[in-house]
Amino acid sequence: MGSSEAEQLHREALVIDSHNDSIVSHIRRGNRSITEREAPHLKGREGTVWNLRGPLETEAYAWNGQVTLPKLRAGGIDCAFFAVDVTRAWKNNLAYALDALGFFDADLASCPEEITVARSAAEIEAAKAAGKLAAVLVVENSDALEGSLNILRLFHHLGVRSVGITHNLSTWAAAGNLESRCGGGLTRFGVRLVEEMNALGMLVDVSHISESGFFDVLETSAAPTIASHSCCAALCDHPRNLTDPQLRALAEHGGVVGLTFVPSFVDPDWKPEHWPARPSLEQFLDHVEHAVETAGVDHVGIGSDFDGGGTVLRDATEYPRITAGLLKRGYPEGAVRKILGENTIRVFRAAAGH
């Protein structure tokens, strides 16, 4: 298939990126709008995120922001999961999450004809049909809930449709992938959290959780789950990556792994001091191939981690290179469509509803 056919397939397919950290990135760049336009409506909105984190150092890993509406359009991305990682809020987790979500809401209010918050699979599909970007709201690290399922319910009312159980360290709900506490699995609150997310219609995210916690989630959850931004431990033995038994178990539970662009998750030899050198797209596609061989083509997606360390691709404009690369490796069109987004929306529909 030639480049024009690959480009057409990419534009016709439903393309979903299951993880970025762009909301906080835009705040820390001086309250920049996702539209790239001047944003007087965002001036003077410095709040919890800015006061705790301050301005973003733009020299490394930044490229002036990897996710904006023009870049998403150029990359043919139809839906992006916008996560707010509250890990560094240090005892201000809830305020941090609300501040970031409130900033994003103020920004989206200025461009309703261009981007919409999607609360269901049908709303993602409707946004693509209308030529709009669909944004799925995500809270990364359940400590934003302050141990309260009532707060989870309010996040759901605000439009949040996915929660990451942990970041790298332990939370109220479970041990993170860098820790092992009391066996490292779900706590009693963690079990109740997963059950409540199922009841409300929220997608459980197992990226960052400990291995024991991962299997506890699969045992507890009545709905499929997602590892929104991870890679394959068999190719790169990083604690954030999934082992082959984890990949197979995720598939058996109906879930999806969103393979990510973080260099140290893709290439076992990459170190921060190697910057600006990065792993190649082919190395990333090796992870796609391994995940397909291990979990099956129905259980693989893409979760860039743009604006959070995902730099194998420069920014969202380069997404069509993935489609071209998969086709070059001999993947049939149907398989490419599944990896680009059909698998992710299937899991989202199962967890969050039609």
Short mmCIF file of all heavy atoms in Angstrom, two decimals, residues 167-211:
data_model
loop_
_atom_site.label_atom_id
_atom_site.label_comp_id
_atom_site.label_asym_id
_atom_site.label_seq_id
_atom_site.Cartn_x
_atom_site.Cartn_y
_atom_site.Cartn_z
N HIS A 167 -0.10 5.96 40.82
CA HIS A 167 1.04 6.33 40.00
C HIS A 167 2.15 5.36 40.42
O HIS A 167 1.84 4.21 40.80
CB HIS A 167 1.41 7.80 40.19
CG HIS A 167 2.20 8.36 39.06
ND1 HIS A 167 3.58 8.45 39.10
CD2 HIS A 167 1.83 8.83 37.83
CE1 HIS A 167 4.03 8.95 37.96
NE2 HIS A 167 2.99 9.19 37.17
N ASN A 168 3.39 5.75 40.36
CA ASN A 168 4.46 4.80 40.68
C ASN A 168 4.51 4.41 42.15
O ASN A 168 4.97 3.32 42.48
CB ASN A 168 5.82 5.38 40.27
CG ASN A 168 5.95 5.54 38.77
OD1 ASN A 168 5.37 4.79 38.01
ND2 ASN A 168 6.71 6.54 38.35
N LEU A 169 4.05 5.30 43.02
CA LEU A 169 4.07 5.03 44.46
C LEU A 169 2.68 4.62 44.94
O LEU A 169 1.69 4.74 44.22
CB LEU A 169 4.57 6.26 45.21
CG LEU A 169 5.95 6.77 44.79
CD1 LEU A 169 6.35 7.98 45.61
CD2 LEU A 169 7.00 5.67 44.90
N SER A 170 2.62 4.14 46.16
CA SER A 170 1.37 3.62 46.70
C SER A 170 0.35 4.72 46.96
O SER A 170 0.70 5.87 47.23
CB SER A 170 1.64 2.86 48.00
OG SER A 170 2.45 1.74 47.75
N THR A 171 -0.91 4.34 46.88
CA THR A 171 -2.03 5.24 47.14
C THR A 171 -2.95 4.62 48.18
O THR A 171 -2.69 3.53 48.68
CB THR A 171 -2.84 5.49 45.84
OG1 THR A 171 -3.48 4.26 45.45
CG2 THR A 171 -1.94 5.97 44.71
N TRP A 172 -4.04 5.32 48.47
CA TRP A 172 -5.07 4.74 49.33
C TRP A 172 -5.54 3.39 48.77
O TRP A 172 -5.98 2.52 49.53
CB TRP A 172 -6.28 5.66 49.40
CG TRP A 172 -6.13 6.94 50.14
CD1 TRP A 172 -5.63 8.12 49.66
CD2 TRP A 172 -6.50 7.19 51.50
NE1 TRP A 172 -5.66 9.09 50.63
CE2 TRP A 172 -6.21 8.56 51.78
CE3 TRP A 172 -7.07 6.41 52.52
CZ2 TRP A 172 -6.44 9.14 53.00
CZ3 TRP A 172 -7.31 7.00 53.75
CH2 TRP A 172 -7.01 8.34 53.98
N ALA A 173 -5.45 3.22 47.47
CA ALA A 173 -6.12 2.08 46.81
C ALA A 173 -5.22 0.88 46.58
O ALA A 173 -5.71 -0.25 46.56
CB ALA A 173 -6.71 2.54 45.47
N ALA A 174 -3.93 1.11 46.37
CA ALA A 174 -3.04 -0.01 46.00
C ALA A 174 -1.60 0.44 46.04
O ALA A 174 -1.29 1.63 46.16
CB ALA A 174 -3.38 -0.52 44.60
N ALA A 175 -0.69 -0.53 45.88
CA ALA A 175 0.73 -0.23 45.75
C ALA A 175 1.04 0.14 44.30
O ALA A 175 0.48 -0.44 43.37
CB ALA A 175 1.58 -1.42 46.17
N GLY A 176 1.93 1.11 44.13
CA GLY A 176 2.39 1.46 42.80
C GLY A 176 3.45 0.49 42.31
O GLY A 176 3.93 -0.37 43.06
N ASN A 177 3.84 0.64 41.05
CA ASN A 177 4.76 -0.33 40.47
C ASN A 177 6.18 -0.25 41.05
O ASN A 177 6.97 -1.17 40.88
CB ASN A 177 4.84 -0.17 38.95
CG ASN A 177 5.32 1.19 38.51
OD1 ASN A 177 4.53 2.10 38.32
ND2 ASN A 177 6.62 1.35 38.35
N LEU A 178 6.50 0.83 41.76
CA LEU A 178 7.82 0.94 42.38
C LEU A 178 7.82 0.50 43.84
O LEU A 178 8.85 0.59 44.51
CB LEU A 178 8.33 2.38 42.28
CG LEU A 178 8.64 2.89 40.87
CD1 LEU A 178 9.24 4.29 40.94
CD2 LEU A 178 9.58 1.95 40.13
N GLU A 179 6.70 0.04 44.34
CA GLU A 179 6.61 -0.35 45.75
C GLU A 179 5.92 -1.70 45.90
O GLU A 179 5.17 -2.15 45.05
CB GLU A 179 5.80 0.69 46.54
CG GLU A 179 6.49 2.03 46.66
CD GLU A 179 5.78 2.94 47.64
OE1 GLU A 179 4.55 3.09 47.52
OE2 GLU A 179 6.44 3.49 48.52
N SER A 180 6.16 -2.30 47.05
CA SER A 180 5.45 -3.52 47.41
C SER A 180 5.05 -3.39 48.87
O SER A 180 5.89 -3.42 49.77
CB SER A 180 6.33 -4.75 47.21
OG SER A 180 5.65 -5.92 47.59
N ARG A 181 3.76 -3.21 49.11
CA ARG A 181 3.27 -2.94 50.46
C ARG A 181 2.17 -3.93 50.79
O ARG A 181 1.19 -4.03 50.08
CB ARG A 181 2.73 -1.51 50.53
CG ARG A 181 2.23 -1.10 51.89
CD ARG A 181 1.60 0.29 51.82
NE ARG A 181 0.41 0.28 50.96
CZ ARG A 181 -0.24 1.38 50.60
NH1 ARG A 181 0.18 2.55 50.98
NH2 ARG A 181 -1.33 1.29 49.85
N CYS A 182 2.33 -4.69 51.86
CA CYS A 182 1.31 -5.65 52.29
C CYS A 182 0.92 -6.56 51.12
O CYS A 182 -0.26 -6.82 50.88
CB CYS A 182 0.08 -4.91 52.80
SG CYS A 182 0.42 -3.85 54.22
N GLY A 183 1.94 -7.05 50.43
CA GLY A 183 1.65 -7.91 49.29
C GLY A 183 1.49 -7.14 47.99
O GLY A 183 1.50 -7.72 46.92
N GLY A 184 1.32 -5.82 48.09
CA GLY A 184 1.30 -4.99 46.90
C GLY A 184 0.01 -4.97 46.12
O GLY A 184 -0.03 -4.41 45.03
N GLY A 185 -1.05 -5.56 46.66
CA GLY A 185 -2.30 -5.61 45.91
C GLY A 185 -3.24 -4.47 46.26
O GLY A 185 -2.85 -3.47 46.88
N LEU A 186 -4.50 -4.64 45.86
CA LEU A 186 -5.52 -3.65 46.19
C LEU A 186 -5.78 -3.63 47.70
O LEU A 186 -5.82 -4.69 48.34
CB LEU A 186 -6.84 -3.98 45.49
CG LEU A 186 -6.96 -3.71 43.99
CD1 LEU A 186 -8.32 -4.18 43.50
CD2 LEU A 186 -6.77 -2.23 43.67
N THR A 187 -5.97 -2.44 48.24
CA THR A 187 -6.44 -2.32 49.62
C THR A 187 -7.95 -2.53 49.65
O THR A 187 -8.60 -2.68 48.62
CB THR A 187 -6.12 -0.91 50.15
OG1 THR A 187 -6.88 0.04 49.39
CG2 THR A 187 -4.64 -0.60 50.05
N ARG A 188 -8.51 -2.52 50.85
CA ARG A 188 -9.97 -2.63 50.95
C ARG A 188 -10.65 -1.48 50.21
O ARG A 188 -11.64 -1.67 49.51
CB ARG A 188 -10.40 -2.64 52.42
CG ARG A 188 -11.90 -2.83 52.61
CD ARG A 188 -12.26 -3.01 54.07
NE ARG A 188 -11.94 -1.81 54.85
CZ ARG A 188 -12.24 -1.67 56.14
NH1 ARG A 188 -12.85 -2.66 56.79
NH2 ARG A 188 -11.93 -0.57 56.79
N PHE A 189 -10.08 -0.27 50.36
CA PHE A 189 -10.64 0.87 49.63
C PHE A 189 -10.47 0.67 48.12
O PHE A 189 -11.36 1.02 47.34
CB PHE A 189 -9.95 2.17 50.05
CG PHE A 189 -10.37 3.35 49.21
CD1 PHE A 189 -11.63 3.90 49.34
CD2 PHE A 189 -9.50 3.89 48.27
CE1 PHE A 189 -12.03 4.98 48.55
CE2 PHE A 189 -9.88 4.97 47.48
CZ PHE A 189 -11.16 5.51 47.62
N GLY A 190 -9.34 0.09 47.71
CA GLY A 190 -9.12 -0.15 46.30
C GLY A 190 -10.16 -1.07 45.69
O GLY A 190 -10.63 -0.86 44.57
N VAL A 191 -10.52 -2.12 46.43
CA VAL A 191 -11.57 -3.03 45.95
C VAL A 191 -12.89 -2.27 45.79
O VAL A 191 -13.58 -2.39 44.76
CB VAL A 191 -11.74 -4.22 46.91
CG1 VAL A 191 -12.97 -5.05 46.54
CG2 VAL A 191 -10.48 -5.08 46.90
N ARG A 192 -13.25 -1.48 46.79
CA ARG A 192 -14.50 -0.71 46.72
C ARG A 192 -14.45 0.31 45.59
O ARG A 192 -15.47 0.57 44.93
CB ARG A 192 -14.75 -0.03 48.05
CG ARG A 192 -15.04 -1.01 49.20
CD ARG A 192 -15.06 -0.30 50.54
NE ARG A 192 -16.08 0.74 50.58
CZ ARG A 192 -15.96 1.87 51.26
NH1 ARG A 192 -14.84 2.13 51.94
NH2 ARG A 192 -16.93 2.77 51.27
N LEU A 193 -13.27 0.88 45.37
CA LEU A 193 -13.11 1.85 44.29
C LEU A 193 -13.38 1.21 42.93
O LEU A 193 -14.13 1.76 42.11
CB LEU A 193 -11.69 2.43 44.33
CG LEU A 193 -11.27 3.30 43.14
CD1 LEU A 193 -12.18 4.51 42.99
CD2 LEU A 193 -9.81 3.72 43.30
N VAL A 194 -12.79 0.07 42.67
CA VAL A 194 -13.00 -0.62 41.40
C VAL A 194 -14.48 -0.98 41.23
O VAL A 194 -15.07 -0.78 40.16
CB VAL A 194 -12.12 -1.88 41.30
CG1 VAL A 194 -12.50 -2.72 40.09
CG2 VAL A 194 -10.64 -1.50 41.25
N GLU A 195 -15.09 -1.47 42.29
CA GLU A 195 -16.51 -1.83 42.21
C GLU A 195 -17.38 -0.60 41.93
O GLU A 195 -18.33 -0.67 41.14
CB GLU A 195 -16.94 -2.50 43.51
CG GLU A 195 -16.30 -3.87 43.72
CD GLU A 195 -16.57 -4.46 45.09
OE1 GLU A 195 -16.98 -3.70 46.00
OE2 GLU A 195 -16.36 -5.67 45.27
N GLU A 196 -17.06 0.53 42.57
CA GLU A 196 -17.84 1.75 42.35
C GLU A 196 -17.63 2.31 40.95
O GLU A 196 -18.57 2.81 40.33
CB GLU A 196 -17.47 2.80 43.40
CG GLU A 196 -18.30 4.07 43.35
CD GLU A 196 -19.72 3.90 43.89
OE1 GLU A 196 -20.06 2.79 44.33
OE2 GLU A 196 -20.47 4.90 43.87
N MET A 197 -16.41 2.21 40.44
CA MET A 197 -16.17 2.64 39.07
C MET A 197 -16.98 1.80 38.09
O MET A 197 -17.54 2.31 37.12
CB MET A 197 -14.67 2.57 38.74
CG MET A 197 -13.85 3.65 39.43
SD MET A 197 -12.08 3.55 39.05
CE MET A 197 -12.10 3.97 37.30
N ASN A 198 -17.03 0.51 38.33
CA ASN A 198 -17.88 -0.36 37.50
C ASN A 198 -19.33 0.10 37.54
O ASN A 198 -20.02 0.17 36.51
CB ASN A 198 -17.79 -1.81 37.98
CG ASN A 198 -16.49 -2.51 37.66
OD1 ASN A 198 -16.21 -3.58 38.19
ND2 ASN A 198 -15.67 -1.93 36.79
N ALA A 199 -19.82 0.39 38.74
CA ALA A 199 -21.22 0.77 38.90
C ALA A 199 -21.54 2.10 38.23
O ALA A 199 -22.61 2.28 37.63
CB ALA A 199 -21.58 0.83 40.39
N LEU A 200 -20.61 3.05 38.31
CA LEU A 200 -20.83 4.38 37.73
C LEU A 200 -20.65 4.38 36.22
O LEU A 200 -21.25 5.20 35.52
CB LEU A 200 -19.87 5.39 38.35
CG LEU A 200 -20.13 5.78 39.80
CD1 LEU A 200 -18.96 6.61 40.34
CD2 LEU A 200 -21.43 6.56 39.93
N GLY A 201 -19.81 3.50 35.72
CA GLY A 201 -19.47 3.50 34.31
C GLY A 201 -18.19 4.28 34.05
O GLY A 201 -18.18 5.26 33.32
N MET A 202 -17.10 3.84 34.68
CA MET A 202 -15.80 4.49 34.53
C MET A 202 -14.75 3.42 34.22
O MET A 202 -14.78 2.33 34.78
CB MET A 202 -15.42 5.27 35.79
CG MET A 202 -16.43 6.32 36.19
SD MET A 202 -16.01 7.17 37.75
CE MET A 202 -14.78 8.34 37.18
N LEU A 203 -13.84 3.75 33.33
CA LEU A 203 -12.82 2.81 32.88
C LEU A 203 -11.65 2.78 33.88
O LEU A 203 -11.03 3.81 34.15
CB LEU A 203 -12.32 3.23 31.49
CG LEU A 203 -11.25 2.38 30.81
CD1 LEU A 203 -11.73 0.94 30.63
CD2 LEU A 203 -10.88 3.00 29.46
N VAL A 204 -11.36 1.61 34.40
CA VAL A 204 -10.26 1.42 35.36
C VAL A 204 -8.94 1.33 34.59
O VAL A 204 -8.80 0.54 33.66
CB VAL A 204 -10.46 0.16 36.20
CG1 VAL A 204 -9.29 -0.03 37.17
CG2 VAL A 204 -11.78 0.22 36.97
N ASP A 205 -7.97 2.16 35.00
CA ASP A 205 -6.67 2.20 34.34
C ASP A 205 -5.63 1.56 35.25
O ASP A 205 -5.44 1.99 36.40
CB ASP A 205 -6.29 3.65 34.04
CG ASP A 205 -5.04 3.78 33.17
OD1 ASP A 205 -4.33 2.77 32.97
OD2 ASP A 205 -4.78 4.90 32.68
N VAL A 206 -4.93 0.52 34.75
CA VAL A 206 -3.96 -0.22 35.55
C VAL A 206 -2.51 0.11 35.21
O VAL A 206 -1.60 -0.54 35.72
CB VAL A 206 -4.19 -1.74 35.44
CG1 VAL A 206 -5.52 -2.13 36.06
CG2 VAL A 206 -4.12 -2.22 33.98
N SER A 207 -2.27 1.10 34.36
CA SER A 207 -0.88 1.55 34.20
C SER A 207 -0.41 2.14 35.53
O SER A 207 -1.17 2.81 36.22
CB SER A 207 -0.79 2.62 33.10
OG SER A 207 -0.76 2.02 31.82
N HIS A 208 0.83 1.84 35.88
CA HIS A 208 1.50 2.31 37.11
C HIS A 208 1.25 1.40 38.31
O HIS A 208 1.98 1.51 39.30
CB HIS A 208 1.10 3.73 37.49
CG HIS A 208 1.69 4.80 36.63
ND1 HIS A 208 3.00 5.18 36.72
CD2 HIS A 208 1.14 5.57 35.67
CE1 HIS A 208 3.25 6.15 35.86
NE2 HIS A 208 2.14 6.40 35.20
N ILE A 209 0.26 0.54 38.30
CA ILE A 209 -0.03 -0.26 39.48
C ILE A 209 0.97 -1.40 39.61
O ILE A 209 1.59 -1.84 38.64
CB ILE A 209 -1.48 -0.80 39.42
CG1 ILE A 209 -1.98 -1.17 40.81
CG2 ILE A 209 -1.58 -1.98 38.47
CD1 ILE A 209 -3.48 -1.48 40.85
N SER A 210 1.15 -1.90 40.85
CA SER A 210 2.04 -3.04 41.08
C SER A 210 1.47 -4.28 40.40
O SER A 210 0.30 -4.36 40.04
CB SER A 210 2.16 -3.31 42.58
OG SER A 210 0.91 -3.76 43.10
N GLU A 211 2.33 -5.27 40.22
CA GLU A 211 1.88 -6.49 39.54
C GLU A 211 0.78 -7.19 40.33
O GLU A 211 -0.21 -7.65 39.75
CB GLU A 211 3.07 -7.44 39.32
CG GLU A 211 2.72 -8.63 38.43
CD GLU A 211 3.95 -9.39 37.94
OE1 GLU A 211 5.08 -8.93 38.20
OE2 GLU A 211 3.77 -10.44 37.31
#
